[in-house]
Each structure stands twice: as C-alpha cells, then as structure tokens.
C-alpha cells in the first residue's frame, strides 16, 4: 500500500514550457486535490475532484488545468509555465465510500518541487 | 465559509518544555478540525483530528488538542518537547460533508537544545 505518490519529485522549467504532474493513490479514495505551498502562505487549493471525470476550481486555479480520467490518478498541467508558479506542489486524497466517513481527513503525497526560470 | 488563524508563524521552545501552538477557527457550521505536521522536505501527516466526539483529542507523538467552542480555538499542546518535534504544523478546518479543508498559514516549531 503506497498511499499517495507523486511524479516527478523535482523539476526545473523555463518560462513558457509546459509540463504535467502526476498523482496516484491506491486507497480507492473518491476525492483528490492539488495544492501549492509557498512560504508564509500555507497550502492553497488549486483544483480538486470529487470523482472520476469531474473536477472543480479551488482557490488559485489560474494557469493550471487538471484531469481525472481514472479514479486513482489526478493530473495537474501547466500549459505555459511562469516564474510565479515556482512552488512545492502537493497532491492529496480523501474519502472512502466503504469507510463511510463524514469527515474528510486528507492523505498527502511527498510533494513535487517545481522551479520556473 | 470557514477560516483558520494560526498565531505565531515561528515558535521556539527548549527541549523538555511545554509546546503550545495556537489555532483559532471561524466556521458557519459545526467544524471538524485537524492538525497536520510537516517534517522538512516531506508531505503533511495527520497528527490528530476533532470530529464532534470528545473535546480533548489525543494524537500521535504525545500531542493533544482541546476543542473550545466558546473560544473558537483548537490549540495544540505537548507537555515536553523533543528535538524530533521540530517541524511545521498546520491547523485545518472543514465542515461535515464538506469535501474541502481550509488550512492555516502554518507555525514553524524550533526546539532549542
């Protein structure tokens, strides 16, 4: 049971380049999330998904796109990277229907450190 | 709408001393509250959670937190700090059946030998 995994761990991009971050979870969770973490700002929600094929905007969605084609995977895309997108990106998942939990404890991946030059 | 305020972005305590990290919340519905810990270069790990059962919640590594509705607080404490407690701590709030968490800005805990 690997939990939540993220690929890659590190990446350096030039302004204008594109890339995709992959998140995978093996806990059969319904919900998945992408956050960015910047010094002094805590975690800010970029996009999230409450089920396969559905996505929604979070607090800071501009410049990012996401897809959830398979329940276990949640992809975060940067079409044209900007220096302001230099950050650490975390994926998280929560909510198992079988567990029937009302409260949404989130499980986090190890993060991807992205630098945009 | 929900929000969380963590007082003190940096806290330093001596090894063996009491750890107190403050969290105040605002919620229009009964809240569920969480404390997460982040060690350097790692993801977030759940320390403890309040889900409307006991108001005093015990977590991992000797931490506990008390939900005080009258003060809208959920402060994190540990009686005796250990060097391994050095990390960043995040308070978060959610409502029942709310799929999103709202995080505070974090408190970096430093332990002085």
């Amino acid at each position: 049971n690997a939990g939540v995994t993220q690929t890659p761990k590190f990446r350096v991009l030039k302004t204008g380049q594109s890339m995709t971050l992959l998140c995978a979870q093996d806990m059969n969770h319904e919900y998945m999330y992408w956050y960015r973490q910047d010094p002094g700002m805590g975690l800010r929600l970029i996009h999230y998904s409450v089920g396969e094929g559905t996505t929604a905007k979070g607090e800071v969605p501009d410049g990012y796109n996401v897809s959830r084609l398979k329940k276990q995977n949640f992809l975060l895309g940067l079409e044209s990277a900007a220096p302001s997108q230099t950050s650490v990106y975390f994926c998280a998942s929560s909510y198992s229907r079988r567990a029937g939990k009302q409260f949404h404890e989130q499980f986090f991946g190890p993060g991807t450190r992205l630098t945009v030059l | 709408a929900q929000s969380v305020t963590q007082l003190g972005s940096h806290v330093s305590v001596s090894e063996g001393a009491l750890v107190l990290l403050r969290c105040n919340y605002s919620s229009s519905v009964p809240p569920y509250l969480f404390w997460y810990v982040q060690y350097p270069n790692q993801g977030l790990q759940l320390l403890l959670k309040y889900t409307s059962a006991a108001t005093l919640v015990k977590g991992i590594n000797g931490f506990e937190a008390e939900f005080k509705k009258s003060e809208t607080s959920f402060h994190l404490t540990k009686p005796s700090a250990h060097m391994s407690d050095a990390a960043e701590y995040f308070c978060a709030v959610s409502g029942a059946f709310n799929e999103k968490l709202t995080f505070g800005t974090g408190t970096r805990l430093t332990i002085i030998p």
Side-chain angles (χ1 to χ4, degrees), chain A residues 20-71:
Chain A
T20 300
L21 282 67
L22 171 64
C23 176
Q25 53 95 5
D26 61 3
M27 295 174 282
N28 201 33
H29 282 164
E30 304 298 323
Y31 301 164
M32 296 187 74
Y33 312 82
W34 276 107
Y35 294 90
R36 59 178 290 172
Q37 182 180 26
D38 302 290
M41 304 190 76
L43 274 77
R44 293 182 292 170
L45 183 64
I46 304 172
H47 286 280
Y48 65 103
S49 167
V50 298
E52 184 178 321
T54 70
T55 63
K57 294 181 179 180
E59 181 185 354
V60 288
D62 294 343
Y64 305 95
N65 57 76
V66 288
S67 65
R68 183 112 181 259
L69 299 179
K70 293 183 178 181
K71 184 177 183 177

Side-chain angles (χ1 to χ4, degrees), chain A residues 31 33 35 37 40-43 45 48 50 57 90 94 101-111 113, chain B residues 32 34 36 38 41-46 49 51 88 90 94-101 103-106:
Chain A
Y31 301 164
Y33 312 82
Y35 294 90
Q37 182 180 26
M41 304 190 76
L43 274 77
L45 183 64
Y48 65 103
V50 298
K57 294 181 179 180
F90 288 99
S94 72
K101 296 185 176 185
Q102 294 174 267
F103 47 91
H104 302 299
E105 170 188 340
Q106 294 185 12
F107 295 80
F108 283 81
R113 187 173 295 275
Chain B
Y32 290 154
F34 306 81
Y36 282 85
Q38 183 182 32
N41 300 314
Q42 294 187 24
L44 277 70
Q45 177 184 353
L46 184 70
K49 58 193 176 191
T51 57
E88 188 152 23
F90 293 93
S94 175
F97 302 108
N98 185 335
E99 66 273 13
K100 293 188 286 184
L101 288 180
F103 285 86
T105 52

Side-chain angles (χ1 to χ4, degrees), chain B residues 11-109:
Chain B
V11 171
S12 296
V13 301
S14 298
E15 190 175 13
L18 172 71
V19 175
L20 170 61
L21 304 182
R22 299 177 187 275
C23 173
N24 288 89
Y25 70 90
S26 172
S27 179
S28 57
V29 298
Y32 290 154
L33 293 156
F34 306 81
W35 275 101
Y36 282 85
V37 60
Q38 183 182 32
Y39 298 105
N41 300 314
Q42 294 187 24
L44 277 70
Q45 177 184 353
L46 184 70
L47 264 182
L48 50 79
K49 58 193 176 191
Y50 166 76
T51 57
S52 75
T55 56
L56 182 61
V57 181
K58 295 188 183 298
I60 61 172
N61 301 336
F63 284 93
E64 63 182 36
E66 186 172 7
F67 172 71
K68 292 187 177 180
K69 184 177 179 179
S70 60
E71 299 177 7
T72 61
S73 69
F74 191 57
H75 301 331
L76 182 70
T77 61
K78 182 174 181 179
S80 177
H82 192 272
M83 294 300 294
S84 61
D85 295 327
E88 188 152 23
Y89 292 80
F90 293 93
C91 183
V93 63
S94 175
F97 302 108
N98 185 335
E99 66 273 13
K100 293 188 286 184
L101 288 180
T102 300
F103 285 86
T105 52
T107 297
R108 184 169 299 278
L109 177 65

